[in-house]
């Protein structure tokens, strides 16, 4: 039954940076950068417009990553950030520092002084100087105006472009496109080296050991190799996708630091005390996937997806993609109607589709589902939309784009996805307690093996312990010194 299908608004919505929102171009297209001393073509993003662009993009970052972390750890990152920022050449920028509650190791910056550091990155660093180094690097991107010069070269892209739209289109590489955008996409080799150089300069001026840049880059490089080994390629949107060439940068950062007088201020103990107790890995507040099941302890739901699917946990959606091209997008919606069928036809499809709606019951909750033929990005698919009542006027939604040639068995697996949605059991909640960073003072006689044995992690404990602590395998454990353990 081929239907003339109109995509619901939420499937079509795209969020692009609109060039016209940028204030009038400055007359002089080239400016001399006070940090780098270089002449830059920045006409499309004059310094006076950076704050506005940054503020707009910042709202999108929050929408994508969820609420920023608050409390002592956020205050601490901000205080280190302000100390580093005081030493930059650009005083016209108000620098801001945010902590993203994600296990991914990442950091990035937006024009206008907005910088972001992930919880995963904080657990990897081993001293305040290393945190200051990564802050200095991100500030370097801002002072050197890398985004501005790139934007002026016409590289305009959407932010997290239309997650649902692209996902329902079954676009390959959807995961990679999450979070990729004009400012957050990767920089050039030259820009990375320049930011490292500026970061080392700011580290030194702020009174930290300038070698901390090379140390942290080295940890990042080892972390990326460990991740690649444990998860295979394509771990998604992380530091290595936004800041390539980590290995090569270690050497250059070391050479750069050697130009400055030695300074051994690391504040290692202070730093480790600050991150003691920080969640390591998945957080119950964000939800996470285990195998083909997704759990959200804080919002109290779980469901499965067909085996072999890759699950991406975005802030407002869970996206599952199967190698056969099937995409499932799960999210929530509110409505004035408390009737699931009315919600599907009137709210979701805006009355624009006449496909019959079937009333269903999912683990005691009322629901409604409909399916119709669609053509998404040139591919013939079946679109199936299902709404399941969460509470009166609140719905869980599954949107599925299913290639026409999938097997009957696979269709049944998708049906199971719909009917698997339920509240989490007490036992499940207890079993998904988050892991935390614990700082342990090494007892006399400790070895790498004895410390690593205390780690509660999947995979190779010794390797994880070494990378987490920035240690070499043959390095002795010093009694009385603090080390990071995952418990
Ligand atoms: Zn960078």
């Amino acid at each position: 039954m081929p239907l003339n299908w109109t995509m619901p608004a939420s499937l079509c919505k795209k969020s692009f940076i609109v060039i016209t929102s940028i204030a009038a171009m400055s007359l002089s297209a080239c400016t001399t950068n006070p940090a780098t001393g270089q002449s830059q073509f920045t006409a499309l993003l004059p310094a006076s417009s950076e704050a506005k662009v940054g503020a707009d993009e910042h709202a999108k970052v929050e929408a994508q990553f969820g609420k920023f972390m608050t409390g002592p750890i956020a205050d601490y990152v901000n205080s280190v950030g302000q100390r580093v920022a005081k030493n930059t050449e650009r005083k016209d920028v108000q620098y801001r520092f945010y902590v993203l509650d994600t296990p991914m190791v990442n950091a990035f910056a937006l024009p206008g002084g907005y910088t972001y550091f992930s919880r995963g990155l904080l657990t990897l660093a081993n001293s305040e100087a290393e945190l200051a180094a990564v802050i200095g690097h991100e500030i370097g991107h801002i002072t050197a105006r890398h985004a501005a010069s790139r934007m002026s070269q016409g590289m305009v892209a959407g932010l997290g472009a239309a997650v649902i739209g692209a996902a329902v289109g079954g676009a390959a590489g959807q995961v990679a496109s999450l979070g990729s955008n004009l400012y957050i996409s990767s920089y050039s080799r030259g820009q990375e080296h320049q930011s490292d150089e500026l970061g080392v300069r700011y580290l030194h001026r702020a009174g930290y050991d300038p070698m901390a840049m090379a140390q942290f880059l080295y940890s990042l490089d080892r972390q990326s190799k460990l991740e690649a080994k444990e998860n295979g390629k394509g771990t998604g949107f992380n530091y290595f996708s936004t800041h390539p060439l980590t290995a090569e940068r270690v050497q250059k950062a070391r050479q750069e630091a050697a130009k400055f007088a030695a300074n051994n201020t690391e504040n290692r103990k202070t730093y480790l005390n600050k991150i003691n107790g920080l969640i390591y890995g998945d957080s119950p507040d964000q939800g996470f996937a285990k195998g083909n099941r997704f759990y959200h302890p804080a919002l109290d739901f779980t469901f499965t997806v067909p085996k072999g699917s890759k699950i991406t946990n975005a802030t407002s959606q869970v996206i599952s993609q199967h190698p056969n091209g099937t995409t499932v997008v799960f999210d929530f919606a509110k409505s004035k109607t408390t009737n699931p069928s009315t919600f599907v036809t009137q709210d979701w499809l805006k009355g624009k589709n006449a496909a019959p709606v079937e009333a269903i019951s999912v683990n005691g909750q009322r629901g409604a589902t409909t399916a119709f033929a669609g053509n998404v990005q040139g591919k013939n698919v079946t679109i199936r939309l299902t709404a399941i009542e969460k509470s009166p006027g609140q719905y869980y939604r599954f949107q599925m784009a299913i290639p026409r040639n999938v097997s009957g068995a696979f269709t049944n697996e998708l049906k199971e996805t719909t009917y698997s949605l339920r509240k989490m059991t007490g036992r499940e909640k207890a079993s998904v307690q988050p892991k935390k960073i614990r700082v342990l003072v090494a007892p006399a006689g400790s070895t790498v093996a004895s410390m690593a044995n205390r780690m509660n992690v999947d995979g190779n404990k010794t390797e994880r312990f070494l990378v987490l602590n920035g240690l070499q395998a043959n390095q002795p454990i010093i009694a009385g010194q603090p080390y990071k353990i995952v418990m």
Side-chain angles (χ1 to χ4, degrees):
M1 185 174 56
L3 292 166
N4 198 2
W5 182 55
T6 307
M7 280 171 96
S10 68
L11 296 182
C12 310
K13 214 166 90 191
K14 291 207 173 191
S15 112
F16 282 111
I17 297 155
V18 180
I19 280 289
T20 51
S21 70
I22 293 160
M25 287 183 203
S26 80
L27 285 173
S28 117
C30 286
T31 48
T32 301
N33 187 289
T36 64
Q38 293 165 339
S39 179
Q40 284 181 307
F41 178 68
T42 53
L44 279 178
L45 187 58
S48 57
S49 300
E50 285 185 348
K52 160 100 178 77
V53 169
D56 290 350
E57 293 302 298
H58 174 71
K60 295 177 196 168
V61 171
E62 186 163 25
Q64 181 144 341
F65 288 93
K67 273 186 295 194
F68 302 113
M69 290 182 79
T70 54
I73 191 69
D75 296 344
Y76 175 62
V77 170
N78 183 56
S79 72
V80 176
Q82 298 301 344
R83 175 171 165 180
V84 176
K86 262 203 305 233
N87 300 286
T88 65
E89 295 79 3
R90 288 191 65 191
K91 306 292 178 201
D92 60 318
V93 176
Q94 189 191 336
Y95 296 94
R96 301 160 217 251
F97 305 89
Y98 297 94
V99 180
L100 304 170
D101 188 6
T102 164
M104 285 183 289
V105 174
N106 207 350
F108 53 90
L110 294 175
Y114 295 83
T115 63
Y116 307 87
F117 306 89
S118 70
R119 170 165 58 75
L121 181 138
L122 297 181
T123 62
L124 184 65
N126 278 294
S127 68
E128 188 172 297
E130 289 187 14
L131 170 63
V134 72
I135 287 174
H137 175 94
E138 295 307 327
I139 287 179
H141 282 306
I142 294 172
T143 55
R145 305 192 66 203
H146 289 154
S149 62
R150 193 168 39 175
M151 186 167 183
S152 295
Q153 286 156 19
M155 293 173 66
V156 178
L159 176 93
V163 170
I164 294 184
V168 170
Q174 164 62 18
V175 173
S177 83
L178 280 176
S180 69
N181 67 67
L182 168 63
Y183 304 107
I184 303 174
S185 62
S186 79
Y187 296 100
S188 72
R189 174 186 297 238
Q191 288 174 327
E192 285 305 299
H193 290 315
Q194 191 167 55
S195 280
D196 287 342
E197 196 182 313
L198 290 170
V200 168
R201 182 194 295 175
Y202 303 149
L203 259 182
H204 169 72
R205 288 183 185 167
Y208 292 110
D209 180 3
M211 279 295 171
M213 178 70 80
Q215 276 162 23
F216 192 58
L217 286 170
Y218 180 60
S219 281
L220 282 167
D221 188 45
R222 290 173 76 193
Q223 166 75 12
S224 76
K225 285 173 179 149
L226 188 57
E227 269 182 32
K229 202 162 107 185
E230 291 185 347
N231 310 331
K233 256 181 64 190
T235 47
F237 177 59
N238 57 23
Y239 191 85
F240 323 106
S241 66
T242 55
H243 297 77
L245 309 156
T246 312
E248 183 190 339
R249 288 165 54 198
V250 176
Q251 191 54 31
K252 289 210 176 210
R254 212 170 267 150
Q255 288 164 0
E256 192 59 33
K259 294 180 188 167
F260 294 95
N263 173 345
N264 54 14
T265 304
E266 285 188 314
N267 293 353
R268 175 176 151 82
K269 281 183 184 166
T270 308
Y271 184 79
L272 294 181
N273 278 334
K274 293 284 182 187
I275 65 161
N276 193 11
L278 202 60
I279 290 178
Y280 179 85
D282 295 310
S283 150
D285 290 343
Q286 304 284 317
F288 52 87
K290 261 193 178 169
N292 69 325
R293 182 175 280 281
F294 184 81
Y295 295 97
H296 204 308
L299 297 176
D300 194 14
F301 67 83
T302 177
F303 61 88
T304 60
V305 295
K307 287 202 174 65
S309 301
K310 182 168 176 62
I311 299 177
T312 303
N313 183 20
T315 298
S316 54
Q317 288 133 0
V318 180
I319 300 155
S320 140
Q321 290 176 296
H322 192 272
N324 71 11
T326 300
T327 300
V328 178
V329 178
F330 174 88
D331 66 359
F332 302 108
K334 279 186 189 163
S335 171
K336 286 201 174 91
T337 177
T338 55
N339 180 319
S341 297
T342 310
F343 169 74
V344 170
T345 53
Q346 296 309 312
D347 274 30
W348 204 351
L349 290 168
K350 311 268 183 248
K352 286 179 180 168
N353 191 297
V357 173
E358 183 189 344
I360 58 172
S361 173
V362 174
N363 293 313
Q365 295 297 112
R366 296 184 306 157
T369 184
T370 186
F372 41 86
N375 185 300
V376 181
Q377 294 186 350
K379 285 181 197 136
N380 287 325
V381 294
T382 298
I383 303 287
R384 176 166 287 280
L385 304 181
T386 305
I388 298 159
E389 190 176 41
K390 182 171 182 267
S391 59
Q394 292 207 15
Y395 297 95
Y396 298 108
R397 305 196 302 183
F398 284 108
Q399 306 176 53
M400 300 177 181
I402 312 156
R404 291 295 176 75
N405 58 358
V406 303
S407 66
F410 185 80
T411 305
N412 280 336
E413 280 194 70
L414 287 172
K415 223 180 248 182
E416 277 169 33
T417 292
T418 305
Y419 287 92
S420 69
L421 180 72
R422 59 169 170 79
K423 286 184 185 300
M424 287 176 65
T425 63
R427 199 177 176 162
E428 280 169 337
K429 283 183 193 168
S431 74
V432 294
Q433 288 300 313
K435 291 172 182 168
K436 290 184 175 171
I437 291 285
R438 288 288 171 214
V439 176
L440 281 191
V441 173
S446 296
T447 60
V448 165
S450 72
M451 295 294 278
N453 255 335
R454 308 183 68 156
M455 299 271 287
N456 172 20
V457 289
D458 302 326
N460 187 327
K461 290 181 180 186
T462 301
E463 220 173 332
R464 182 62 69 183
F465 172 78
L466 291 171
V467 170
L468 195 61
N469 287 282
L471 296 171
Q472 300 296 333
N474 56 5
Q475 229 168 306
I477 298 296
I478 302 166
Q481 281 297 310
Y483 293 89
K484 285 183 272 177
I485 298 283
V486 175
M487 291 174 92

